[in-house]
Amino acid sequence: MPSMIAMERDHALAKPAYRILAEKLGEKILRGTDYRGDLAITVDRSAWKEAARTLRDHPELDYKLFLDLCGVDYLNDESRPDRFEVALHLYSVTHKHHIRLKTALPEKRPVCDTLVDVYKGANWFEREAFDLYGIVFTGHPNLTRILTHEDFVGHPMRKDFATGKRFVNKKAKEWLLTVPKGSEHLVLNIGPSHPAMHGCFRVQALLDGETIKDAEAEIGYLHRNFEKMAEERTYWQIIPYTDRLNYCSAFINGHGWALAVEKLLGVAAPPRAEAIRVILSEFSRIMDHLVCISTNVVDLGAITPFFVVFRAREEIYDLLDSVCGARLTVSYVRIGGVAQDVPDDFDARCRKTMGWIREVAEQLENLLTRNIIFARRFKDVGTFSKEDALSYGWVGPCLRGSGIGYDIRKDHPYSGYDLYDFDVPVGSVGDCYDRYLVRVEEIKQSLRIIDQALSKLPQGPFITDDRKVALPPKSEVYSDIESLMNHFKLVYDGILAAPGEVYGYVEGANGELGYYIVSDGKKHPARVKVRPPCYNIYQAYPQMIKGTMLADAVAMIGGLNVIAGELDR
Amino acid sequence: MGLLDIITGKYVDPTHFKSVHESGNIITTTVDAVVNWGRKSSIWPFPFGTACCAIEFMAFTGSHYDVARFGSEVLRFSPRQADLLLVAGTIVDKMGPILKTIYDQMPEPKWVVSMGVCASTGGFYRSYHTMQGIDEIIPVDVYVPGCPPTPESLLAALMKIQERIKSGDQAKRPQGEHRVGARAEGVNDRRERREAWAHDDASRASTGLDPRGRIHFKLTEERDESGNGSHHA
Ligand code: SF4
């Protein structure tokens, strides 16, 4: 469809980012598209760094928030001369706009410039692209494996790497830090199995007394290959996998996935489904914040809030259980809607749960907010500036704690968030205490959203009737041959998305959770890249703790709410 | 008739200890039974939580399900102080050596519960970096199915361990030889260790020494009712 491509290009040309880059780089801009509203610009690899720098520094563009960088393998795509591609996602907080910058790399020598000196957050992402795809970034300070273990051979995300091929890891990596010769400092290893490291991250710190001189982090202890598995599953089958990304708020991940696929397909869920999704997303957000706060203070020695909070959590679990039959990993969302309608007493159940949450949140605040010990441990600890937060790609409560009020629910409303009235709390200092306050306030705002969504809950279908996307109802399958065939075809062939790529995003409990989906028209996606909020947040952690006391480092990690499932995928 | 007899397992007629017996409040039993009873009611778990299952594990320790009812609320984050390794969550190859080290560091007797399908079989992650069940490297005594298992089933697993401790069962030998995939170097095979011990005992016996670790009791005196005592070795 040449006309369609031309139209896309025209749209892209009209965007300031394209215009400015074209002025600056001229011939080196190879392509600009606007597929499904995602501005994507392909540049020649010689202009890679310059393009990124222009996007960041040009006052009209101001793409300061680094979101994601990943490799893509187009082994089976004959139309492309080059096998690999690197895709960079950026966001401009001032202009409220996402952009994707891409460059193609040949199979023989997949080499391109590093962006570490443009965006601090690029460091780990480039290491990941090196680890999984073997793409080399010249000028990178430490281009080593990050997710897989040291004994691993090959680059597993390449299309010609067999999914099940494993290598034995004999010995854990011992040194993350280089200790200066003759140094008398103590090297302390924290994690991956350590009570303060919720999940399995690892930090190694060089201690001078109790002060941390140097620190380095290691991840990948839960790298269970969501992205590789997703390339072998249909769009439906990926839903349960998404639940296990951020398992503290499983529903939001599925919500994000459904929205991303719906964007790719160009379908929409009916209003009732969207409202149900909003309600459950907000309950999940509350649950996530409650767990974050309570486990954070457990690390500091206060165990009571944990027991208080888990009462409310159990109530939310019961609610989810009544809706879909699972407590934690819900798998309730479907492409184009939700799996089934909510029970008749949904409203009453939600309101009862809300009552519990109110009570618990109040108790929690009484226990903590004005507690002098807690305040002393949290105030002015782990202060992180706006600029650093953007450069590392912080999002969600952590970014808002640092004073930037970027919330996708407000700035790019999805699922009808624009129908509800709520506020976005923003911190002023950027320390642990601010992050805590933001989370507490978000719990209250979430309750407000749920309240409005419940009272406005529309009637109607809970899933779209687009038969290319959603299964026909069982009653029709049993009584009608057309529906039976439709059901069979859809289960057998899966959803077939037109070739193209989109970046779908939602406001997860930890911030912008994005899915970059590349479809080649087959039933499995060709590439799924999760943009995990924790990855950027945790990357900054070793920098944050340098120069602080060891005990403060423990106070900080809990408040960042790093979830291993999402971090390592 | 003395303490030594009890320890070495000889039948002791309780009526010999008249003064104690007549005052009531005494239960006669074997040491094994008492020790097992003690062990069973105070299992200290080491939570090796890595992923989503750890969240349900938290519910299991939380106020609603309250594992304290079973005497296991003392979570130990040091393997040296724990006797139950509770593996909750996916174990990937990179984590393998760490899990193995922790298992080795636990003192015997030790038990292992594998919580969830990921720890048991790799679950629905059949891919390049996920261990297909922790029994590739360590023995597992109870497998808990589910993704994640409910806290109830985890409680059931705990009770199963309790039952087995009570009946004097031993924890499982390492398995895993029959499985494809990684078996980390120096896997802790208790059979090998027992053989090594037997060998050591035999060589010591041939030089007239007692086996290592045998406790020698030196009971000074055993008194009869009237207070006259005789020396025992
Ligand atoms: S068994 Fe399921 S819930 Fe448990 S760690 Fe594995 S994926 Fe997560």
Side-chain angles (χ1 to χ4, degrees):
Chain A
M1 286 176 286
S3 61
M4 183 113 160
I5 291 174
M7 212 168 72
E8 269 174 27
R9 196 181 48 230
D10 292 347
H11 270 160
L13 288 178
K15 294 269 162 61
Y18 190 89
R19 201 190 66 234
I20 291 166
L21 276 187
E23 277 167 20
K24 187 124 193 186
L25 303 173
E27 292 286 282
K28 288 180 178 163
I29 299 262
L30 303 178
R31 204 162 167 238
T33 57
D34 197 16
Y35 188 65
R36 305 270 187 227
D38 280 8
L39 177 62
I41 299 177
T42 313
V43 298
D44 189 74
R45 63 182 164 280
S46 59
W48 178 240
K49 193 184 254 180
E50 201 187 341
R53 195 167 269 145
T54 312
L55 289 176
R56 185 192 67 174
D57 292 338
H58 198 284
E60 259 186 77
L61 304 177
D62 202 31
Y63 287 97
K64 285 222 164 52
L65 179 61
F66 171 84
L67 287 177
D68 184 72
L69 186 146
C70 66
V72 187
D73 182 2
Y74 289 102
L75 179 63
N76 305 323
D77 190 343
E78 257 105 55
S79 65
R80 286 172 188 265
D82 294 323
R83 175 171 171 186
F84 295 108
E85 197 170 81
V86 179
L88 168 74
H89 286 89
L90 299 172
Y91 182 73
S92 162
V93 178
T94 41
H95 301 294
K96 298 198 166 78
H97 194 253
H98 284 84
I99 193 171
R100 172 161 61 245
L101 190 68
K102 302 192 293 179
T103 186
L105 303 175
E107 179 169 7
K108 283 256 162 57
R109 235 184 123 254
V111 181
C112 83
D113 283 339
T114 177
L115 294 183
V116 173
D117 40 357
V118 186
Y119 294 102
K120 291 182 185 164
N123 189 329
W124 280 14
F125 284 90
E126 290 182 352
R127 279 177 70 188
E128 182 186 317
F130 166 73
D131 188 359
L132 303 183
Y133 285 95
I135 296 171
V136 177
F137 295 87
T138 44
H140 191 286
N142 176 27
L143 201 62
T144 48
R145 287 192 181 274
I146 183 163
L147 291 176
T148 58
H149 54 76
E150 280 185 309
D151 299 320
F152 207 87
V153 184
H155 301 289
M157 281 295 285
R158 289 190 174 186
K159 290 274 179 199
D160 45 11
F161 189 96
T163 312
K165 189 168 172 196
R166 287 169 57 205
F167 296 91
V168 179
N169 184 19
K170 298 247 172 59
K171 202 162 164 295
K173 191 171 175 181
E174 204 169 335
W175 295 103
L176 309 179
L177 282 173
T178 39
V179 184
K181 223 178 181 160
S183 154
E184 292 192 350
H185 297 328
L186 174 77
V187 176
L188 184 73
N189 186 71
I190 315 171
S193 178
H194 185 277
M197 298 280 136
H198 305 266
C200 36
F201 344 113
R202 180 176 168 197
V203 181
Q204 214 165 53
L206 191 67
L207 293 182
D208 177 13
E210 273 196 66
T211 313
I212 297 173
K213 285 279 156 209
D214 194 6
E216 193 50 71
E218 172 81 0
I219 61 169
Y221 293 102
L222 192 59
H223 179 50
R224 47 188 179 181
N225 333 124
F226 165 76
E227 287 163 10
K228 187 82 174 177
M229 300 309 287
E231 288 176 10
E232 300 182 351
R233 299 285 182 273
T234 62
Y235 291 92
W236 282 319
Q237 287 172 331
I238 296 171
I239 294 172
Y241 286 92
T242 61
D243 280 341
R244 285 139 182 95
L245 289 172
N246 180 350
Y247 33 72
C248 286
S249 49
F251 184 80
I252 304 182
N253 307 315
H255 188 180
W257 172 250
L259 285 175
V261 178
E262 283 160 15
K263 184 173 174 184
L264 179 70
L265 298 167
V267 297
R272 185 174 174 84
E274 294 285 33
I276 295 172
R277 286 175 178 180
V278 166
I279 293 170
L280 294 184
S281 279
E282 290 311 313
F283 272 121
S284 305
R285 190 182 316 281
I286 292 171
M287 196 153 72
D288 195 293
H289 287 349
L290 286 176
V291 174
C292 167
I293 296 169
S294 62
T295 49
N296 191 1
V297 295
V298 167
D299 294 344
L300 302 182
I303 201 156
T304 319
F306 175 81
F307 291 121
V308 170
V309 155
F310 261 65
R311 198 65 205 88
R313 242 178 90 92
E314 286 297 333
E315 288 297 323
I316 302 178
Y317 274 163
D318 283 352
L319 176 75
L320 290 173
D321 201 350
S322 75
V323 171
C324 63
R327 285 159 51 86
L328 182 66
T329 45
V330 286
S331 304
Y332 178 54
V333 80
R334 291 292 178 273
I335 313 298
V338 290
Q340 71 241 347
D341 210 347
V342 289
D344 294 338
D345 57 350
F346 183 63
D347 189 87
R349 276 176 187 274
C350 286
R351 296 207 184 270
K352 177 166 158 269
T353 312
M354 284 162 71
W356 267 103
I357 296 168
R358 279 206 187 91
E359 195 183 321
V360 160
E362 199 188 316
Q363 280 186 27
L364 191 69
E365 275 213 272
N366 289 344
L367 279 168
L368 295 177
T369 308
R370 287 175 191 286
N371 180 333
I372 186 75
I373 306 173
F374 173 72
R376 288 225 174 127
R377 291 294 310 267
F378 265 39
K379 278 191 181 161
D380 296 319
V381 168
T383 313
F384 209 60
S385 72
K386 274 183 202 177
E387 292 71 34
D388 275 352
L390 288 174
S391 184
Y392 271 108
W394 277 26
V395 280
C398 293
L399 182 68
R400 293 194 280 275
S402 285
I404 294 173
Y406 169 48
D407 187 325
I408 300 170
R409 293 174 296 170
K410 266 273 190 262
D411 295 336
H412 304 276
Y414 55 91
S415 296
Y417 269 109
D418 42 351
L419 304 175
Y420 314 120
D421 185 25
F422 66 100
D423 299 318
V424 177
V426 175
S428 52
V429 184
D431 56 0
C432 288
Y433 196 65
D434 269 1
R435 292 193 275 275
Y436 159 77
L437 289 179
V438 165
R439 285 211 166 82
V440 170
E441 187 53 38
E442 278 188 15
I443 294 175
K444 291 182 198 153
Q445 297 299 333
S446 292
L447 285 175
R448 266 177 79 190
I449 297 174
I450 297 171
D451 192 32
Q452 297 168 46
L454 273 179
S455 43
K456 285 193 211 159
L457 188 65
Q459 294 300 321
F462 56 85
I463 191 161
T464 168
D465 54 5
D466 185 339
R467 289 283 163 262
K468 287 206 173 61
V469 174
L471 292 173
K474 266 280 182 289
S475 57
E476 284 178 24
V477 174
Y478 289 139
S479 59
D480 174 14
I481 182 71
E482 297 262 304
S483 301
L484 180 67
M485 275 163 62
N486 191 315
H487 186 281
F488 173 78
K489 284 281 287 174
L490 204 48
V491 171
Y492 200 77
D493 287 346
I495 298 175
L496 299 174
E501 47 181 57
V502 293
Y503 175 72
Y505 45 93
V506 286
E507 182 70 25
N510 274 332
E512 173 161 349
L513 172 74
Y515 294 96
Y516 172 46
I517 309 174
V518 180
S519 160
D520 55 1
K522 307 223 177 67
K523 64 177 182 178
H524 310 307
R527 168 80 163 120
V528 176
K529 170 72 169 71
V530 185
R531 189 261 159 213
C534 298
Y535 201 78
N536 305 49
I537 293 173
Y538 188 57
Q539 188 177 170
Y541 180 67
Q543 264 58 47
M544 283 173 79
I545 62 174
K546 268 181 208 165
T548 64
M549 305 281 274
L550 185 60
D552 289 344
V554 173
M556 277 179 233
I557 180 90
L560 298 181
N561 196 22
V562 185
I563 308 283
E566 191 177 74
L567 178 75
D568 295 341
R569 287 152 285 141
Chain B
M1 203 55 58
L3 187 55
L4 188 62
D5 291 327
I6 302 182
I7 287 170
T8 51
K10 272 201 200 125
Y11 174 69
V12 180
D13 186 352
T15 48
H16 282 254
F17 297 89
K18 278 227 177 57
S19 59
V20 207
H21 210 250
E22 273 159 11
S23 65
N25 296 338
I26 186 164
I27 302 164
T28 46
T29 174
T30 61
V31 173
D32 267 0
V34 175
V35 168
N36 282 343
W37 171 75
R39 280 186 178 146
K40 149 180 170 277
S41 334
S42 64
I43 299 179
W44 288 8
F46 177 97
F48 195 87
T50 59
C52 357
C53 276
I55 303 294
E56 277 301 65
F57 173 80
M58 270 152 67
F60 160 82
T61 57
S63 38
H64 192 70
Y65 288 94
D66 193 13
V67 68
R69 294 177 293 158
F70 300 85
S72 293
E73 77 279 21
V74 194
L75 303 185
R76 290 286 110 171
F77 289 97
S78 161
R80 313 262 184 214
Q81 302 167 347
D83 48 10
L84 172 66
L85 179 62
L86 227 155
V87 184
T90 323
I91 301 298
V92 299
D93 287 338
K94 195 170 185 173
M95 196 61 141
I98 292 148
L99 177 64
K100 181 72 190 38
T101 314
I102 285 177
Y103 175 79
D104 287 350
Q105 285 173 342
M106 284 169 62
E108 306 232 14
K110 53 187 165 191
W111 302 82
V112 180
V113 168
S114 142
M115 175 183 183
V117 290
C118 276
S120 306
T121 67
F124 67 175
Y125 295 99
R126 302 241 142 210
S127 55
Y128 60 88
H129 204 248
T130 317
M131 192 169 282
Q132 303 298 305
I134 55 169
D135 46 14
E136 280 181 7
I137 51 168
I138 60 172
V140 176
D141 294 295
V142 179
Y143 298 85
V144 191
C147 181
T150 54
E152 288 94 337
S153 41
L154 201 54
L155 286 175
L158 185 70
M159 286 159 72
K160 203 152 217 157
I161 297 266
Q162 288 187 328
E163 255 166 47
R164 290 182 48 188
I165 295 179
K166 190 174 157 205
S167 66
D169 266 6
Q170 288 293 310
K172 232 188 231 171
R173 279 201 325 261
Q175 29 181 284
E177 288 93 328
H178 62 287
R179 299 196 56 137
V180 266
R183 180 169 180 250
E185 210 172 45
V187 72
N188 180 15
D189 191 332
R190 277 183 234 174
R191 241 173 335 179
E192 279 166 22
R193 211 153 76 192
R194 278 197 207 108
E195 272 158 27
W197 280 342
H199 189 74
D200 185 50
D201 286 353
S203 63
R204 284 173 72 92
S206 66
T207 55
L209 289 170
D210 270 347
R212 259 182 238 272
R214 166 157 299 175
I215 310 164
H216 286 273
F217 285 95
K218 192 137 191 162
L219 295 187
T220 45
E221 237 170 82
E222 186 180 80
R223 292 174 194 279
D224 59 20
E225 286 299 286
S226 57
N228 302 319
S230 65
H231 283 279
H232 250 307

